[in-house]
């Protein structure tokens, strides 16, 4: 296999010593430096050479896409073409958007193009040898989120058997913050350098995470999609997958550990942050005065509020003794003590923001032992806390309804012998129990004795395959088996619970207006915010939005995507269709929110709601992800800034923090009505 010779003078980022550019100097809303920064200016000759090669590669890709099945190569091309496309896109983005930061990046771009041409030639012959390669491998996948190709890196142990693969361990490694870590640089790093830990038997997955967002929002989706792609291409042991990371990657690790707890055999967060307010005060030196809804929305990603979930995943935290980011593990240690859990906290002596070599040895030894143990498949006790139905599952318990979002919701379920289940709930209105075949703890000849909040609730027997499923709902102050017979038209549920940012965590489509609004201020604001949203999705979330005019939206679009509608009912026909079906009424003259009215000449609603044309998908009015340029400067700031709806006064110009003056904002209730 041809090995690329990357330059020895490489920028080091994303692993043991990530670039740190945030700090107290970044606390001014009026003076926000660009993230990512603008790169060096290439000469016309350099740009011309790269664009010529990109054009040639485009032709090679088009030729591959036109291959007919008669050649016997179509399946191979369809499956592995993203491994070529990801290299093409990385170079194209770097050239088009001035995202090279040193002269050596030009050579890196040509090296990636060499790799792309080599892979394209191999695919043309119906071959993909890099997919059966050990060591360092860079792959790509098409994201369902926005249809763009996204990269990830692999470290595959030399003893991986491609002919007869046995299930192997997979450690997910979350990289640190790197403001210059564009796709070009990430792929280069992953193609030439191993990370902090190596496995003698297994695979290390390095997700890109959509750049620098601490693996939240699109970064969270990217990680889950990358893992799924790895599972489709390699034999991964479902019971031996872990999450690990350092610095920003440590923050990502904490978040995945508490939100997807039952998927990992262990978690190993290092440094980073584990919550928002205390970290920003200690590390950033920032004075916080958020509106009440923003503070409540910190609970989406703050890990200390749901620390007890770590009861279900062995956790080994690491901190340098003199690292300011030791604060993250200290906060979690304090939170876990409240639940009688003592955090295993490995501390590197007299060490700043890096991993001490002796600590590395200790951590690896512990992780290897935990990998041998594997994930606990059917725990006898489930102790699960959440604040949102976005994260609604823990092993054999799934929560389907809450009394109120963003308040603590808890369920503790204990298996007692082979006949009983004791369940205690708080702020939960509906949940289910699900044991797959072979997992039911109950005797097949007798009904289980289930008590919920002290009430006996009858259920069916386990099936003969030792599976068991039961659904429960609250009716007044009583629990009943089955689903409620009174189902409201709209109900908050998993992936349909808000806030606005959630619409950009499942496949979405921007819908632009084909007409103009009569209110010139509103028209100018909509155009500015829509253009900004398109730009910032590419710049910060490293994708390209799907976008259509309102007159081009099809039934398939309505069925497949969350619709992000821009404009007014006057300018956007899709808005006009749904405007009278929403809890916020938007007419020619006023925006009516309950008993409050706002003039349309200088006010705009932003909101999220199930789409009346397809209640299994969202519609959003006039908003992309809600944090802005000021929040790019520190990953802990990257939290939802607006709830389910807000009224914007466009007389106040947008800035790096807000889209205008927020006149009013709130959450919808659990039935998507005005509170």
């Amino acid at each position: 296999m041809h090995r690329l010779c990357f330059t020895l003078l490489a920028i080091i980022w994303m692993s043991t010593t990530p670039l740190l550019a945030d700090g107290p100097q970044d606390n001014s809303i009026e003076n926000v430096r660009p993230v990512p920064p603008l790169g060096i200016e290439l000469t016309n000759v350099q740009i011309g050479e790269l664009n010529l090669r990109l054009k040639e590669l485009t032709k090679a890709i088009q030729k591959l896409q036109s291959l007919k099945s008669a050649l016997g190569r179509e399946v191979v091309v369809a499956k592995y073409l993203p491994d070529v496309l990801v290299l093409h896109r990385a170079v194209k983005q770097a050239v088009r958007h001035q995202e090279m930061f040193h002269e050596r990046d030009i050579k890196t771009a040509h090296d990636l193009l060499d790799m792309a041409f080599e892979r394209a030639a191999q695919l043309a012959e119906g071959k993909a040898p890099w997919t059966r390669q050990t060591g360092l491998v860079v792959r790509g996948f098409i994201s369902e989120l926005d249809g763009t190709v996204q990269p990830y890196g692999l470290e595959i142990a030399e003893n991986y058997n491609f002919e007869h693969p046995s299930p192997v361990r997979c450690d997910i490694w979350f990289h640190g913050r790197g403001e210059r870590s564009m796709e070009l640089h990430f792929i280069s790093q992953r193609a030439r350098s191993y990370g902090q830990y190596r496995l003698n038997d297994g695979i290390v997955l390095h997700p890109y995470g959509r750049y620098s967002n601490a693996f939240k929002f699109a970064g969270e989706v990217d990680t889950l999609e990358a893992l799924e792609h790895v599972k489709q291409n390699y034999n991964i042991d479902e019971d031996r997958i872990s999450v690990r990371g350092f610095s920003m990657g440590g923050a990502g690790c904490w978040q995945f550990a508490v939100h997807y707890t039952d998927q990992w055999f262990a978690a190993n967060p290092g440094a980073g942050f584990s919550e928002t307010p205390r970290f920003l005060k200690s590390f950033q030196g920032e004075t916080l005065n958020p509106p009440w809804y923003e503070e409540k929305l910190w609970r989406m990603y703050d890990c200390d509020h749901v620390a007890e979930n770590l009861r279900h995943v062995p956790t080994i935290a690491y901190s340098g003794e003199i690292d300011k980011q030791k604060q993250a593990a200290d906060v979690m240690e304090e939170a876990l003590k409240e639940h009688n859990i003592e955090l295993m906290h490995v501390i590197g002596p007299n060490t700043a923001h890096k991993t001490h070599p002796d600590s590395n040895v200790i951590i690896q030894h512990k992780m290897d032992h935990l990998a041998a143990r594997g994930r606990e498949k059917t725990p006898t006790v489930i102790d699960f806390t959440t604040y949102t139905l976005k994260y609604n599952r823990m092993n054999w318990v799934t929560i389907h309804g809450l009394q109120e979002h963003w308040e603590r919701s808890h369920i503790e379920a204990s298996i007692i012998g082979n006949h009983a289940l004791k369940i205690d709930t708080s702020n939960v209105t509906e949940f289910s129990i699900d044991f797959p075949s072979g997992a039911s703890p109950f005797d097949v000849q007798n009904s289980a004795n289930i008590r919920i909040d002290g009430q006996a609730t009858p259920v069916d027997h386990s099936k003969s395959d030792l599976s068991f499923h039961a659904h429960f709902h609250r009716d007044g102050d009583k629990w009943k088996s089955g689903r409620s017979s009174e189902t409201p038209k709209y109900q908050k549920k998993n992936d349909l619970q808000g806030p606005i940012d959630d619409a950009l965590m499942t496949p979405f489509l921007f819908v632009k207006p084909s007409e103009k609004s009569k209110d010139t201020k509103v028209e100018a604001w909509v155009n500015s915010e829509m253009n900004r949203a398109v730009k910032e999705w590419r710049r910060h979330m490293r994708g390209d939005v799907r976008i259509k005019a309102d007159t081009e939206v099809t039934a398939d679009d309505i069925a497949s995507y969350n619709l992000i509608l821009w404009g007014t009912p006057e300018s956007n026909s899709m808005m006009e269709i749904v405007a009278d079906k929403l809890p916020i009424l938007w007419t020619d003259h006023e925006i009516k929110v309950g008993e409050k009215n706002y003039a349309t000449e200088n006010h705009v609603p932003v909101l999220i709601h199930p789409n009346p044309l397809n209640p299994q998908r969202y519609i959003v009015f006039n908003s992309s992800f809600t944090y802005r340029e000021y929040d790019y400067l520190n990953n802990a700031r990257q939290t939802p800034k607006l709830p389910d709806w807000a009224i914007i006064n466009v007389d106040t110009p947008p800035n790096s923090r807000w889209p205008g003056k927020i006149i009013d904002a709130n959450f919808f209730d659990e039935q998507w009505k005005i509170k």
Side-chain angles (χ1 to χ4, degrees), residues 236-518:
I236 302 300
D237 187 340
E238 294 280 359
D239 295 323
R240 292 197 298 150
I241 305 173
S242 74
V243 283
R244 314 179 69 175
F246 186 79
S247 193
M248 182 185 80
C253 183
W254 282 118
Q255 290 150 195
F256 272 76
V258 298
H259 289 149
Y260 300 98
T261 309
D262 58 359
Q263 296 192 28
W264 326 121
F265 77 79
N268 172 215
F273 57 91
S274 55
E275 44 69 56
T276 302
R278 293 164 69 178
F279 178 81
L280 289 177
K281 289 177 183 176
S282 65
F283 181 85
Q284 193 72 26
E286 186 172 4
T287 301
L288 302 175
N289 186 29
W292 67 271
Y293 47 82
E294 181 185 347
E295 185 171 358
K296 182 165 282 194
L297 284 167
W298 286 341
R299 298 169 184 173
M300 181 169 178
Y301 280 113
D302 280 5
C303 302
D304 54 332
H305 295 305
V306 292
E308 62 263 49
N309 292 348
L310 296 183
R311 175 178 180 176
H312 296 290
V313 60
T315 302
I316 304 164
Y318 169 78
S319 304
E321 184 179 23
I322 56 175
D323 185 0
K324 287 185 70 175
Q325 292 186 25
K326 179 175 176 290
Q327 181 264 358
D330 290 342
V331 166
M332 293 302 290
E333 190 168 14
E334 176 186 314
L336 285 166
K337 281 182 180 178
E338 296 179 10
H339 302 281
N340 202 30
I341 300 173
E342 184 175 350
L343 178 67
M344 171 50 66
H345 191 181
V346 178
I347 299 175
N350 198 34
T351 302
H353 196 61
K354 63 181 180 178
T355 306
H356 192 281
D358 293 343
S359 300
N360 260 347
V361 175
I362 294 170
I363 292 168
Q364 280 296 79
H365 181 71
K366 291 180 180 294
M367 290 292 291
D368 289 345
H369 276 279
L370 290 169
R373 171 184 180 268
R375 177 181 60 157
E376 186 177 18
K377 291 184 179 180
T378 310
T380 57
V381 177
I382 298 293
D383 190 359
F384 177 40
T385 298
T386 187
Y387 285 79
T388 168
L389 292 175
K390 183 70 178 176
Y391 309 108
N392 71 326
R393 181 178 177 274
M394 174 78 78
N395 206 284
W396 42 268
V397 172
T398 302
I399 300 175
H400 301 285
L402 304 180
Q403 289 178 333
E404 185 170 359
H405 259 77
W406 309 111
E407 299 298 332
R408 184 177 184 270
S409 307
H410 181 252
I411 189 165
E412 183 170 355
S414 304
I415 300 170
I416 303 171
N418 67 349
H419 68 285
L421 190 59
K422 180 179 181 292
I423 303 172
D424 294 305
T425 72
S426 175
N427 196 38
V428 174
T429 60
E430 188 177 358
F431 69 94
S432 62
I433 303 295
D434 190 16
F435 293 99
S437 296
S440 173
F442 306 127
D443 181 80
V444 296
Q445 291 183 308
N446 298 289
S447 297
N449 176 11
I450 295 183
R451 300 187 70 84
I452 307 174
D453 296 333
Q455 302 173 24
T457 309
V459 294
D460 293 332
H461 293 198
S462 292
K463 304 299 183 186
S464 61
D465 65 343
L466 293 182
S467 66
F468 177 84
H469 177 79
H471 202 103
F472 305 96
H473 70 277
R474 182 181 284 279
D475 185 0
D477 60 354
K478 300 292 185 182
W479 282 100
K480 294 184 178 180
S481 297
R483 300 176 184 273
S484 174
S485 59
E486 298 180 3
T487 304
K489 183 175 182 180
Y490 301 114
Q491 178 75 38
K492 287 192 174 181
K493 57 185 179 180
N494 174 246
D495 283 344
L496 279 170
Q497 76 291 307
I500 291 169
D501 297 76
D502 191 56
L504 290 96
M505 294 182 71
T506 46
F508 65 91
L509 171 71
F510 275 26
V511 180
K512 61 184 179 180
S514 54
E515 302 293 338
K516 291 188 176 182
S517 302
K518 67 178 186 302

Side-chain angles (χ1 to χ4, degrees), residues 525 602-606 642 646-650 659-664:
W525 182 90
N602 59 348
H603 293 89
V604 177
V606 300
L642 294 174
I647 304 298
I648 315 296
N649 186 318
V650 299
K661 185 175 182 180
I662 312 299
I663 299 298
D664 199 2

Side-chain angles (χ1 to χ4, degrees), residues 573-586:
S573 59
M574 292 300 299
M575 278 189 173
E576 183 181 24
I577 291 171
V578 301
D580 62 350
K581 301 175 179 64
L582 301 176
I584 292 178
L585 187 62
W586 193 356

Side-chain angles (χ1 to χ4, degrees), residues 5 39 54 82 116 135 164 166 202 221 305 323 326 398 402 428 441 443 449 500 540 576 608 631 652 671-672 675:
C5 296
L54 283 167
H164 304 287
S166 299
V221 177
H305 295 305
D323 185 0
K326 179 175 176 290
T398 302
L402 304 180
V428 174
D443 181 80
N449 176 11
I500 291 169
H540 189 69
E576 183 181 24
I608 187 170
D631 305 302
T652 300
Q671 285 75 48
W672 289 97
K675 285 192 174 184

